[in-house]
Amino acid sequence: MAKCVSKEQLERYAASELPEADSAAIEAHLESCLRCAQALARQPGGDELLRRIRDLERSRTDIRPALERLRKTEEKITSTLFGKSP
Amino acid sequence: MSVMITTTSLSLLERMRGGSNQLAWRDFVHAYSPLLMAFAKRLGLPDTDADDAVQETLLAVHATFREMSEPFDRSKGRFKSWLRGVAKNKVLDVRRRRARQARREQREVLPGADADVAASPDANELFELEWQRNLLARALQQVAREVDPAVYQAFDLHAVHGHTPADVARLLGVTRNAVYISKHRILQRVTRLVTELDEQEG
């Protein structure tokens, strides 16, 4: 796809509304066209998900020591229930 | 740098049924321990008590699935609600046990030990919050396994940690286009996986 992606097509691609073949053609174009790749990055959506991902990273750091402890307990429970580890 | 996506197999809950599939059990423990741990701590349990509540919840889950001969029927109740109930009860059990122990030893009782803290509406909201976080964490882990490590790293550095596409491209030896595309594809895949997991296990 040498021609740049139209605004409407890019919006539909970003919203996963296009048939697979059309999406594949757009992706092939995005690989080589920086202007269209940057336009994709400007599409709305994803901000809320990214905020949740960053928040998750912080909360997982808080309980990491507890999860390390739990890993040892997991082995104990598994061995109680099944005998030995898989 | 290609973004290969594979699909998940039989649902985790279905694999757990009968209680004899050790790999399914291991997957379950890995998938749900962080949720149960975070929930127990949010309900105010100190570390060792939270450990106990999580262990007891996991054992109760295993006992139930071991007895389950029919496929999990969502019309009869949702797994999420059932698990929340079990987790809340185990937290309450641990708190009451510790309160009794403290009284016997004439020590100060843990604040709220006698209150039905786990039965409050707040507990349901806290569980839901941790449930959603856990779905997201599992979806991210799955995507990280599915895609080329460079794709995931590009996403992590740019979208999560805020490095510029140019810096990430230089660091990883890829094009800026690839960085933008990685962000889009991974967010798309994570959204789909969260929905799938919630449909299967929610």
Side-chain angles (χ1 to χ4, degrees):
Chain A
M1 188 189 261
K3 216 173 119 194
C4 281
V5 184
S6 71
K7 189 171 170 282
E8 190 218 346
Q9 284 287 89
L10 198 63
E11 282 169 4
R12 292 186 62 201
Y13 167 76
S16 309
E17 289 173 359
L18 290 177
E20 209 169 303
D22 292 354
S23 287
I26 288 178
E27 276 161 21
H29 176 75
L30 292 170
E31 295 270 358
S32 59
C33 176
L34 186 58
R35 205 171 67 128
C36 286
Q38 286 171 327
L40 173 68
R42 286 193 297 272
Q43 289 297 310
D47 290 350
E48 171 57 18
L49 181 57
L50 277 171
R51 189 196 59 72
R52 288 177 53 213
I53 291 172
R54 293 185 193 116
D55 177 56
L56 175 74
E57 289 231 331
R58 281 191 295 273
S59 73
R60 285 296 186 250
T61 307
D62 294 344
I63 63 162
R64 199 155 286 153
L67 293 176
E68 287 298 322
R69 273 198 325 277
L70 197 65
R71 213 149 283 149
K72 290 179 190 138
T73 313
E74 274 174 37
E75 289 166 21
K76 209 166 69 188
I77 302 178
T78 303
S79 121
T80 308
L81 294 172
F82 295 96
K84 56 178 176 23
S85 295
Chain B
M1 187 158 103
S2 68
V3 185
M4 276 298 296
I5 301 292
T6 54
T7 52
T8 51
S9 53
L10 201 59
S11 87
L12 178 57
L13 300 188
E14 187 52 27
R15 288 165 56 222
M16 284 278 290
R17 196 156 61 84
S20 61
N21 185 336
Q22 193 173 344
L23 288 175
W25 166 252
R26 194 193 61 182
D27 290 348
F28 183 87
V29 172
H30 284 186
Y32 281 94
S33 294
L35 160 68
L36 297 171
M37 178 60 72
F39 180 60
K41 289 184 74 67
R42 275 184 178 272
L43 292 184
L45 291 189
D47 285 355
T48 50
D49 290 352
D51 289 354
D52 288 351
V54 174
Q55 284 175 51
E56 288 172 26
T57 305
L58 289 172
L59 289 171
V61 168
H62 186 268
T64 300
F65 274 84
R66 193 178 51 212
E67 300 303 319
M68 196 182 284
S69 53
E70 299 294 316
F72 201 87
D73 184 355
R74 280 189 72 164
S75 67
K76 290 180 183 164
R78 297 175 66 182
F79 173 72
K80 176 165 70 173
S81 313
W82 176 78
L83 182 68
R84 184 181 63 211
V86 176
K88 285 197 309 189
N89 284 335
K90 296 302 174 189
V91 168
L92 266 179
D93 287 350
V94 171
R95 290 182 77 97
R96 286 176 182 144
R97 219 158 51 219
R98 292 293 178 263
R100 278 198 301 273
Q101 196 179 356
R103 276 192 211 98
R104 268 201 311 273
E105 295 167 8
Q106 296 183 320
R107 281 188 288 108
E108 198 183 335
V109 176
L110 192 68
D114 293 326
D116 235 14
V117 63
S120 71
D122 285 355
N124 290 357
E125 280 172 30
L126 292 174
F127 188 88
E128 180 61 28
L129 179 73
E130 291 302 338
W131 177 273
Q132 294 302 332
R133 276 190 174 159
N134 201 49
L135 289 180
L136 184 56
R138 290 170 60 197
L140 284 165
Q141 284 163 7
Q142 185 166 330
V143 172
R145 285 194 300 268
E146 288 173 351
V147 301
D148 182 329
V151 170
Y152 195 84
Q153 212 179 351
F155 163 76
D156 192 52
L157 288 169
H158 168 52
V160 182
H161 290 101
H163 295 285
T164 65
D167 284 348
V168 176
R170 213 172 15 251
L171 183 71
L172 299 178
V174 298
T175 62
R176 274 190 285 166
N177 304 43
V179 178
Y180 289 122
I181 297 167
S182 296
K183 176 184 170 186
H184 172 70
R185 294 292 302 272
I186 288 183
L187 288 179
Q188 223 176 19
R189 178 68 179 143
V190 166
T191 303
R192 201 169 303 146
L193 277 171
V194 165
T195 306
E196 278 175 22
L197 284 170
D198 207 24
E199 278 170 7
Q200 287 173 1
E201 299 169 26

